[in-house]
Amino acid sequence: MKPMAIREILIHPDSRLKAVANPVTEFDDRLRALADDMLETMYAAPGIGLAAPQVGVLKRLLVMDCVKEEDAPPKPMVLINPAVTWTSEDRSTHEEGCLSIPEQFAEIERPAEVEVAWDDFQGKQEVERFEGLWATCVQHEIDHLNGKLFIDYLKPLRRQMITRKMKKLKRERARA
Ligand code: NI
């Protein structure tokens, strides 16, 4: 198998970030290699979550690790075909950012707790309840699989302002 590699993260606006990703049907070595690359890309960024469309792969796959304590062991998670199966009535607000929208942050309100079901590498279903930062992160990443970004929760004016900044950033990077 090929060694892990850092992949290029797409920057908003990009049509691939607006697309609805396709269910994973092949649980093969290529899928594992993609997940490994995504974890390496996420840790290198650094970030706490990354969805496959952000590296240009329109598959329903996300990786995350929301362990914040410096001395705690990492907890890399790979969720294949994830789906929210329950949300709490309680809501909470977290400041969110996104590796596809660098340097931009906004307070987003979402259900405080969610239950998510997903497939593991054998295609076997896992179910887990997430709270706190994990709940925010998993909802943010599942949104990516449906072509939705955190800025889509903002008022149009604020969203347009951020999009303009990202277009400028992309022009600058293209010239560099
Ligand atoms: Ni994101």
Side-chain angles (χ1 to χ4, degrees), residues 18-34:
K18 289 272 150 204
V20 176
N22 303 304
V24 170
T25 53
E26 308 270 345
F27 295 80
D28 54 11
D29 283 351
R30 281 187 60 198
L31 185 70
R32 206 176 276 265
L34 171 63

Side-chain angles (χ1 to χ4, degrees), residues 16-89:
R16 288 164 288 181
L17 295 172
K18 289 272 150 204
V20 176
N22 303 304
V24 170
T25 53
E26 308 270 345
F27 295 80
D28 54 11
D29 283 351
R30 281 187 60 198
L31 185 70
R32 206 176 276 265
L34 171 63
D36 285 345
D37 284 357
M38 284 171 57
L39 279 167
E40 192 179 13
T41 304
M42 178 190 82
Y43 285 126
I48 59 170
L50 187 68
Q54 292 181 275
V55 294
V57 179
L58 294 180
K59 286 184 182 168
R60 304 190 76 81
L61 171 80
L62 66 86
V63 299
M64 60 177 182
D65 182 346
C66 300
V67 172
K68 290 298 259 183
E69 302 77 21
E70 287 274 319
D71 48 355
K75 194 187 176 194
M77 294 191 76
V78 178
L79 278 63
I80 304 164
N81 298 326
V84 174
T85 51
W86 172 85
T87 58
S88 63
E89 277 180 39

